Amino acid sequence: PVVFVGDGGCQMTVQALSDIVRTGKGAIVFIFNNALYGIEQAFVNVEFYTETQPPDPFCVLHAWDYARLVELFGGGWAGTVRTLDELDAALVAAKERRDTLSIIDLRIPERDITPQMLALAQPPA
């Protein structure tokens, strides 16, 4: 399986990654890490994404080093990615380890959000 999750969602469900290691299954997990509950921020103040202002304090996540989770869980491989070249290398490394957990910590800018998520957060007309 290939999983895409935000860092906020990952922090709420991280024990599932431990289960992947415990059961000896393989999965590639991409964690979109912007250090923010992004969709929550959009719902409480969508202007955050278009104006220069700080995020609402309760939307800011405690910083986790997601690549170190494999150490904590006792198995797997992980990498932190900030560039496309690093992503290419991480994809090669993860594909070589199909029988274990691979975590790819994708560091993205705090204000990155998809147009679809912004549209969901807009108040009804």
Side-chain angles (χ1 to χ4, degrees), residues 12-53:
M12 292 187 284
T13 60
V14 73
Q15 71 275 9
L17 301 180
S18 176
D19 291 339
I20 293 169
V21 173
R22 179 182 54 82
T23 60
K25 304 297 181 188
I28 300 174
V29 179
F30 294 88
I31 301 172
F32 291 92
N33 183 352
N34 66 346
L36 192 70
Y37 284 116
I39 191 63
E40 297 294 330
Q41 179 61 55
F43 283 131
V44 298
N45 183 6
V46 72
E47 285 80 23
F48 167 80
Y49 291 100
T50 58
E51 299 175 9
T52 304
Q53 57 183 286

Side-chain angles (χ1 to χ4, degrees), residues 91-106:
L91 291 172
V92 169
K95 286 168 61 175
E96 291 173 354
R97 296 164 174 88
R98 293 175 194 232
D99 60 342
T100 190
L101 172 65
S102 291
I103 296 173
I104 300 176
D105 179 0
L106 299 165

Side-chain angles (χ1 to χ4, degrees), residues 64-84:
W64 284 17
D65 185 350
Y66 296 98
R68 296 199 56 210
L69 288 173
V70 294
E71 294 172 39
L72 177 69
F73 298 146
W77 172 88
T80 300
V81 170
R82 291 180 181 85
T83 68
L84 290 176

